[in-house]
């Protein structure tokens, strides 16, 4: 197993979490849900995805592997369909620009893992956000499911490159990436709950002010 590939994928995941912390620190004010905000989140997510792919791990045949699956699935889970489509379109366009024999597989990973995030949001998001207890283990399960899909998509590389691909990415994708997904989801859940409480407080203050008036 190539230690350089493992460290590169770990670095790539760490970069994503750092970008998420910067986003949370900058956009820490309550926002009214709107199509404009969704488009902005998608744009920011897409640009983050481009940066992640720019620092991706390359294999000998020209394929690249990075943390875009963590990013796009988490966008789907926490922000829904529109931001995921916008970010996914930007990332897919950049992956096409990079070219190489793994371009189609790279786009398939974006579509499949983004769809997984949106579907998990549809069936589990509300319950996950309403509970105060830690959801870490469910987020780990989510990350594992997303990256099993990732590996299934990656197995579509040309047959002569399958062994090299799996030897290079199997361990980090099944261990590091689910953990990175869970940590990112915990960060966004805490941020989501803080924003929800702030919105509730603002609405209560508005009602009190109307009564006083």
């Amino acid at each position: 197993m190539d230690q350089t590939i493992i460290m590169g994928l770990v670095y790539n995941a760490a970069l994503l979490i750092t970008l998420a912390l910067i986003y949370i620190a900058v956009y820490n004010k309550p926002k009214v849900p709107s199509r404009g905000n969704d488009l902005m989140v998608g744009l920011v997510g897409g640009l983050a995805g481009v940066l992640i792919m720019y620092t991706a791990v390359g294999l000998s045949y020209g394929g690249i592997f990075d943390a875009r699956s963590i990013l796009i699935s988490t966008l789907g889970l926490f922000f829904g369909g529109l931001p995921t489509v916008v970010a996914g379109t930007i990332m897919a366009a950049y992956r096409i620009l990079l070219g190489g024999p793994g371009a189609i597989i790279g786009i398939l990973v974006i579509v499949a893992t983004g769809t997984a995030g949106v579907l998990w949001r549809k069936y589990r998001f509300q319950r996950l956000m309403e509970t105060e207890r830690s959801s870490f283990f469910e987020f780990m399960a989510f990350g594992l499911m997303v990256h099993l899909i990732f590996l299934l998509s990656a197995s579509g590389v040309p047959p002569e490159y399958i062994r090299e691909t799996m030897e290079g990415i199997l361990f980090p994708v099944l261990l590091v990436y689910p953990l990175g997904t869970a940590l990112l989801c915990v960060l966004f859940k805490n941020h989501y709950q803080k924003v929800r409480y702030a919105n509730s407080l603002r609405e209560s203050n508005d009602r009190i002010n109307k009564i006083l008036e």
Side-chain angles (χ1 to χ4, degrees):
M1 184 179 296
D2 191 334
Q3 297 297 319
T4 303
I5 292 177
I6 294 175
M7 292 308 299
L9 291 172
V10 170
Y11 166 78
N12 203 246
L15 173 62
L16 172 58
I17 293 175
T18 302
L19 292 172
L21 287 171
I22 294 171
Y23 172 84
I24 290 171
V26 172
Y27 296 96
N28 59 357
K29 296 180 180 180
K31 292 179 174 60
V32 178
S34 68
R35 189 173 296 273
N37 286 335
D38 285 347
L39 290 173
M40 183 58 66
V41 169
L43 177 61
V44 171
L47 294 177
V50 169
L51 178 59
I52 288 167
M53 283 189 278
Y54 181 75
T55 61
V57 173
L59 298 180
S60 63
Y61 62 87
I64 64 170
F65 292 92
D66 49 67
R68 85 192 79 150
S69 54
I70 302 177
L71 173 59
I72 197 72
S73 61
T74 305
L75 278 174
L77 176 58
F78 282 89
F79 297 98
L82 181 57
T84 304
V85 170
V86 172
T89 301
I90 294 171
M91 285 189 273
Y94 182 69
R95 186 63 190 90
I96 292 172
L97 183 64
L98 291 176
I104 294 176
I105 300 301
I107 295 170
L108 178 60
V109 167
I110 293 169
V111 173
T113 55
T115 301
V118 172
L119 290 175
W120 203 284
R121 174 184 177 86
K122 180 178 179 180
Y123 294 107
R124 292 292 300 168
F125 182 76
Q126 203 60 41
R127 183 173 295 180
L128 281 169
M129 295 304 107
E130 287 174 354
T131 180
E132 294 295 331
R133 62 183 175 80
S134 173
S135 305
F136 181 80
F137 290 108
E138 176 159 351
F139 289 140
M140 274 292 292
F142 170 66
L144 183 59
M145 181 271 295
V146 165
H147 289 93
L148 286 172
I149 294 173
F150 177 109
L151 287 175
L152 184 63
S153 301
S155 67
V157 298
E160 61 270 27
Y161 302 129
I162 289 180
R163 181 175 178 179
E164 177 189 351
T165 300
M166 292 303 162
E167 286 181 350
I169 70 172
L170 186 63
F171 173 75
V173 164
L174 286 182
L175 182 62
V176 177
Y177 277 20
L179 179 59
T181 304
L183 291 175
L184 188 61
C185 286
V186 168
L187 290 174
F188 274 116
K189 178 182 176 179
N190 291 339
H191 177 65
Y192 176 89
Q193 289 184 326
K194 287 178 182 178
V195 169
R196 186 177 64 176
Y197 294 150
N199 281 334
S200 297
L201 181 61
R202 177 174 53 80
E203 291 170 1
S204 296
N205 287 336
D206 288 343
R207 286 195 296 268
I208 290 172
N209 289 334
K210 287 180 181 179
I211 292 172
L212 292 175
E213 289 173 2

